[in-house]
Amino acid sequence: MSLVAWLRAQGIPIPTDPNAAAIAGAVAVIIFAFAAGWWIGQRAGPRLTALVHRLMGRAEGHAYRSGVAIVGMLLAALALLLALPFFTASPFALVLVAVALGVAVARLAYSLVRLAGLGSGYAWLLAAVVFVVAAAGSLGGLQPLLATLDRASVEVGTRRISLLGVVNAVVVIAVLFAVARLANRVLTHSIGRLTRLDVSQRALVQKLAGIAVIVVAALIGIDLLGIDLTALAVFSGALGLAVGFGLQKTVGNLLSGLILLMDRSVKPGDVIVVGETFGQVTKIGVRAVSVVTRDGKEHLIPNEQLMVEPVENWSYSSRNVRIHIPVGVAYASDLPLAQKLMIEAATAAERVLKTPAPTVWLRGFGDSSVDHEILAWINDPEAGVGNVQSDIFNRLWLLFQEHGIEIPYPQSDVHIRSLPETTGAIVEQRS
């Protein structure tokens, strides 16, 4: 049996006698539909792109192209759908319009998926499925196609698994995944624009909204696929055991992250010290907190570690941080002048606050120098403290040289009280 005969046996109409006038009309309608859609899309597409930017905070090049394609292909699909009944008398023309309608709907689906931020492979797969469904539905062959897929089945125990059920499950999961991804992006961007909430509150609401989207999508998927919830009783028990044993740390980190956001003891933007890690918190994730050091290295610290170990938060209640800079001067130096120059160098530094003003403490009398400590305040610890110390040291070096203040180096005086007789004789001969 040939392919044409098999398709006709499945109920799909295959044209036999071409109608030149109807085919020419179908081609003209197709060209007009796509041309009109492209023309209107070029003008209305940027507005859709601007709306996407407001909702999702994304306006890349593919977002602009997707906006133009969505408007254009939507109008082209509507025009072809309206023109479809006029070509039912000519099978060849009907096939042309049906294929064009499938292409327009498939391109529309591809653009929507790409606009949701999903990969091109995922978009192509969904577009191919949409093309087959749209073209077959336009030709009246959708029901025979579904019946054929339903007949391809296997028996597993008391259950019957058909190819139609597998395809249905894949399509439902793919669509729900795309919708959930898009909804999560829109909610995340919308919540991030709420100025009445601080950073930690916005992050907490974003995570709760993301969890709610996943739960709703899962429940809708279970309902659409007709899964009996009572059949999941054994699975839920196994999942509970997995959480209790294998996923204990994962669940602990998830709950710890939520507690950190609710407690607000550590929030994005804070400058913290955990162990030997010093840096700024950029993100509190499901599993770990991202801390970026001044060297640009990103440390991922498990959320649970911040709950059980001491954390030094430099910006918890106030962003003002006092830095300590040790300075030593020679014993012969003018100490009041040296202390005045230290305060002058600290005050001249750009990041040092004028209030509270810098101060100088005399810490003690060392072996080689009189030890001082410059105390200065900054309010941007995320920018680092080493560069502030370097700025003050450079200014202080110039001021000390200008006013003759000596910075000593380690030295020791050796006093000899007695020498052996042979050594003493040698010394007397040389002298």
Side-chain angles (χ1 to χ4, degrees):
M1 179 183 294
S2 64
L3 177 61
V4 174
W6 182 83
L7 291 174
R8 288 173 179 168
Q10 302 302 320
I12 300 177
I14 302 297
T16 56
D17 299 324
N19 186 332
I23 293 175
V27 172
V29 168
I30 293 172
I31 294 175
F32 172 78
F34 281 100
W38 176 84
W39 186 82
I40 298 176
Q42 290 292 329
R43 286 150 181 79
R47 297 184 180 181
L48 179 60
T49 304
L51 177 62
V52 172
H53 178 65
R54 288 196 301 270
L55 293 178
M56 303 174 59
R58 303 170 66 248
E60 298 90 341
H62 69 80
Y64 173 78
R65 294 190 297 271
S66 298
V68 173
I70 288 173
V71 176
M73 292 301 103
L74 179 60
L75 295 176
L78 290 176
L80 292 172
L81 186 62
L82 294 175
L84 195 64
F86 296 98
F87 298 96
T88 54
S90 177
F92 272 110
L94 182 63
V95 170
L96 289 177
V97 177
V99 172
L101 177 60
V103 171
V105 176
R107 183 67 175 90
L108 176 62
Y110 177 86
S111 301
L112 288 173
V113 173
R114 291 293 290 150
L115 194 63
L118 301 179
S120 59
Y122 183 87
W124 276 112
L125 177 61
L126 190 60
V129 174
V130 170
F131 171 78
V132 173
V133 173
S138 302
L139 294 173
L142 185 58
Q143 290 301 326
L145 178 62
L146 296 179
T148 303
L149 292 177
D150 187 57
R151 285 195 298 267
S153 62
V154 294
E155 300 289 340
V156 180
T158 59
R159 292 187 172 274
R160 178 177 176 272
I161 300 177
S162 65
L163 186 57
L164 177 61
V166 175
V167 173
N168 184 39
V170 171
V171 171
V172 168
I173 293 174
V175 172
L176 285 177
F177 179 75
V179 173
R181 182 79 173 267
L182 180 61
N184 192 28
R185 284 179 176 270
V186 172
L187 288 174
T188 299
H189 181 69
S190 300
I191 295 171
R193 297 171 59 187
L194 297 177
T195 57
R196 295 182 179 181
L197 303 178
D198 59 24
V199 177
S200 61
Q201 290 174 338
R202 288 197 297 268
L204 175 60
V205 176
Q206 286 172 345
K207 292 188 179 301
L208 294 178
I211 294 174
V213 168
I214 294 174
V215 171
V216 171
L219 293 177
I220 293 176
I222 290 173
D223 182 66
L224 292 177
L225 296 176
I227 299 176
D228 188 5
L229 294 179
T230 58
L232 299 178
V234 177
F235 174 75
S236 61
L239 181 62
L241 291 176
V243 171
F245 291 99
L247 301 178
Q248 182 178 3
K249 288 292 185 180
T250 302
V251 176
N253 285 323
L254 173 62
L255 296 178
S256 298
L258 295 177
I259 292 174
L260 288 174
L261 291 173
M262 289 187 293
D263 183 56
R264 300 173 62 187
S265 56
V266 176
K267 55 187 179 295
D270 283 352
V271 178
I272 65 173
V273 179
V274 182
E276 297 181 355
T277 302
F278 165 79
Q280 184 180 20
V281 177
T282 58
K283 179 183 177 182
I284 299 180
V286 175
R287 188 189 67 85
V289 172
S290 174
V291 179
V292 178
T293 65
R294 291 294 300 162
D295 296 330
K297 299 178 181 179
E298 191 165 2
H299 293 230
L300 300 178
I301 304 174
N303 294 332
E304 194 174 10
Q305 184 176 345
L306 273 70
M307 296 289 295
V308 298
E309 293 187 6
V311 178
E312 185 177 330
N313 192 336
W314 286 25
S315 52
Y316 177 60
S317 58
S318 173
R319 299 190 63 82
N320 290 354
V321 176
R322 188 170 68 175
I323 58 177
H324 301 251
I325 304 176
V327 178
V329 297
Y331 277 93
S333 301
D334 185 351
L335 292 187
L337 177 60
Q339 294 170 358
K340 178 183 177 182
L341 296 177
M342 294 178 197
I343 295 178
E344 181 179 345
T347 305
E350 295 181 0
R351 291 179 52 201
V352 173
L353 299 179
K354 300 301 184 289
T355 304
T359 57
V360 174
W361 288 359
L362 196 156
R363 304 297 295 181
F365 301 98
D367 296 334
S368 306
S369 63
V370 181
D371 300 329
H372 294 79
E373 190 172 53
I374 301 175
L375 306 178
W377 290 85
I378 60 175
N379 62 357
D380 52 352
E382 67 277 2
V385 295
N387 47 13
V388 180
Q389 294 179 354
S390 176
D391 187 13
I392 294 176
F393 277 140
N394 283 319
R395 297 175 186 274
L396 191 59
W397 172 260
L398 298 177
L399 290 174
F400 277 2
Q401 285 188 327
E402 182 182 349
H403 294 83
I405 304 297
E406 180 183 356
I407 300 177
Y409 53 87
Q411 56 183 345
S412 301
D413 295 333
V414 180
H415 299 276
I416 302 175
R417 303 184 63 180
S418 62
L419 292 173
E421 295 182 358
T422 56
T423 305
I426 294 174
V427 173
E428 289 179 357
Q429 291 177 2
R430 291 183 175 179
S431 59

